Amino acid sequence: MFDQMDVENEQYQIKPMNCPFHCLMYKDEMRSYRDLPIRWAELGTVYRYERSGTLHGLMRVRGFTQDDAHIFCLPEQLQDEIIKVLDLTETILSRFGFNKYDIMLSTRPEKSVGSDEIWDAATAALEGSLKAKGWKYTINEGDGAFYGPKIDLKIRDAIGRTWQCSTVQCDFNLPERFGLEYVSARGTRERPIMVHRAIFGSIERFFGILVENCAGDFPLWLAPVQMRLLPVTDATQEYCRVVAKKAAKMGLRVEVDRGSDRLAKQIRNAELERVPIMAVVGVKEMETGKLAVRSRKYGDLGSFEVQPLLSELSRCAASSEEMTLMGESASQEQIQ
């Protein structure tokens, strides 16, 4: 952590983690077993002191944002909550194209807090969740945190490197330290189990991994510019701007080329900038209300009317697909 700072005779500490603040939120009022599970999530910026020699682009920084979440639950709810976290993790990572993971289950270290009973129950819940998912995993004996067992997911990028991103950790320490309680069905006061959850881990590091994994060639749904309109002459510029406004209203990211270069150069520039879809707009297209569409990956897709094209792009982006639909004057052989 960074050292404390003295500001106007008061001490300040740069926030190294988000967890204690969720504990304080939980403690703000008395909870019943009927209230649990409670799930809180935030994108919280934290700061960790890293030696200058270890800093590495976006992969290792001193200030970063975590997709941090904490679940407060009953012991009997633990496995179901972990399965839900693993389901969400799988959905999100696969959306970004990461489908290969190395999964580790880390168990109780020599120095730890919590009873044998609760450690055994939490470890069984984590292991049962992995078995329910049908995921292969390895057990790291004694490599858990002192406050509880955990599941770590390391994603594999395009060249086979592994990166630690997602984690699910049980915590018996913070509920004890903060005196967190709930009223049980028997009227007694009990400690909840706290679960730490992060899917991306560090947002900055995840996107550094993502950029390297796809070499900047983002899928259609994620591309900063999803389609570029290429006007052949100045006379079609206004038509291009009208189409771009329609696309923006549908949530699509479309821009208009300045049109100062020849068409071949405009296409070349768009491909070098990895724009997924290009639409050539000449006088003929303007008069007929159509666009001549070209895919960076599949070549010419043919001619489309504006609204059906925008609807198809919107559908593809929503379902994480690349556009392969053939328009007029295009052959299916072009995308084989």
Side-chain angles (χ1 to χ4, degrees), residues 15-26 40 42 178:
K15 183 174 72 169
M17 63 188 72
N18 302 307
C19 322
F21 302 95
H22 285 183
C23 289
L24 291 175
M25 289 168 60
Y26 180 97
W40 285 317
E42 70 170 307
F178 280 85

Side-chain angles (χ1 to χ4, degrees), residues 18-35:
N18 302 307
C19 322
F21 302 95
H22 285 183
C23 289
L24 291 175
M25 289 168 60
Y26 180 97
K27 196 175 180 180
D28 192 52
E29 60 183 85
M30 193 63 209
R31 310 286 175 174
S32 164
Y33 72 97
R34 295 187 182 91
D35 299 326

